[in-house]
Amino acid sequence: MTQHVLVPLDASEQARKAFDWALEEFDDLSLTILHVVPPNDPGYLPGASVDKSPEDDDYAVAVAEEFLSDFVEEAENAGVEAEPVVVVGEPSREIVGYAEENDVDHVVMGSHGRTGATRVLFGSVAEDVTRRSPTPVTVVR
Ligand code: ATP
Ligand code: MN
């Protein structure tokens, strides 16, 4: 049975490990990769060269699309079609909302992200999503 797996990606090593794990773990996989751009805090995404200026409202979205396109390519090389999704909003809320509205079977994510607050077991996004997601959540660490 095809599993619809959602991997929320920020620019952290942990999120990338979650992505790699999802590709390996599921045989019959329909993959969605999601980046949430927090409003008023475009955050940090590396390696983007987009044809817009940072003053444009949609600059952060364009950077995020560029960021996800590398993962789409990697998935394709592994024989998996990945659908990239970029939304603006509060990360955990958007991740859970996406899972609720799009027949997601499973969420796979890192326990920490780019701020890497190691004093706590989970980052705030991982904690909120594991609490509120309607699906099973795998936290890769
Ligand atoms: P905090 O954000 O509370 O300072 P943190 O950055 O260390 O903590 P989280 O943000 O909880 O940890 O990150 C855990 C996982 O959540 C990441 O590995 C990634 O899978 C996902 N994630 C975090 N932020 C986003 C985002 N903006 N868009 C998509 N996925 C995200
Ligand atoms: Mn974070």
Side-chain angles (χ1 to χ4, degrees), residues 11-120:
S12 66
E13 191 56 31
Q14 288 228 8
R16 116 116 16 231
K17 291 221 166 91
F19 171 82
D20 290 343
W21 188 86
L23 282 184
E24 275 179 25
E25 186 68 15
F26 297 92
D27 291 332
D28 191 0
L29 173 65
S30 155
L31 182 63
T32 300
I33 53 178
L34 171 68
H35 181 73
V36 184
V37 178
N40 312 317
D41 172 20
Y44 169 76
L45 290 173
S49 55
V50 302
D51 186 22
K52 286 187 164 37
S53 99
E55 284 77 46
D56 286 358
D57 279 350
D58 49 0
Y59 171 77
V61 171
V63 170
E65 280 165 355
E66 167 83 15
F67 165 72
L68 289 182
S69 69
D70 291 344
F71 288 87
V72 170
E73 210 170 290
E74 265 190 61
E76 200 174 298
N77 292 338
V80 173
E81 198 180 319
E83 190 197 353
V85 178
V86 176
V87 295
V88 178
E90 195 279 306
S92 63
R93 189 193 178 88
E94 295 300 329
I95 293 164
V96 171
Y98 188 92
E100 283 170 350
E101 286 158 28
N102 294 277
D103 286 319
V104 168
D105 297 308
H106 205 123
V107 176
V108 176
M109 66 194 302
S111 63
H112 284 286
R114 63 185 179 89
T115 70
T118 49
R119 68 194 181 279
V120 290

